[in-house]
Amino acid sequence: MTTDHLFIVTGGPGSGKSSLIAALATAGHATMPEAGRAIIQDQVAIGGDALPWADRTAFADLMLGWELRSHREARAIAGPVILDRGIPDVIGYRTLCGLPVPDPLRRAAELYRYNRRVFIAPHWPAIFAQDAERKQSPEEAAATARAMERAYADCGYELVALPLAPVAERAAFVAATIAAAGIARRT
């Protein structure tokens, strides 16, 4: 099954990914949510410790499960689907944290592919802000962006930097790039 219709948006925390994906969803694009924030919210709600500040390995394992499920669901959607992160993000996270990258994770990144062009949101200090789930410092956010760049490049993807521009301009950029790829939008 082809996965050219699956488009990743990645980058560091606080770089405008979620706002961009929300704008694209509002404009009618199919989207898939980010794993990390939802996992953090769920773990906090249940008193779990699969959190980036508690058990990073368990957190990464939950992220992989989420990304595998998102990939499966997105494949079934006709037309382009924009995903807030993907399987290589788990590789980037584990590498950033100094955790080993297990063979099954590497195999997942080989088997479950996305469009070759991956949108990367560069670290953008002007919009970076911390919140209940985003506890990283600006320096950690910048390091995360670099880790994601390396993970996707190492997995053979072509990185397309999002412009440092208002959300509407970023959304138009993503929509135009997808249209130029010749992948029809769902109706």
Side-chain angles (χ1 to χ4, degrees), residues 119-143:
F119 298 101
I120 182 121
H123 177 62
W124 192 358
I127 66 168
F128 177 81
Q130 294 172 313
D131 61 28
E133 290 91 28
R134 185 185 304 126
K135 298 178 184 239
Q136 299 91 340
S137 69
E139 296 77 23
E140 290 170 316

Side-chain angles (χ1 to χ4, degrees), residues 9 27 33 35-36 84 87 96 105 112 116 120 134 177 183:
V9 177
D84 193 339
I87 294 167
L96 180 69
L105 173 53
Y112 299 94
R116 69 179 177 80
I120 182 121
R134 185 185 304 126
T177 303
I183 298 172

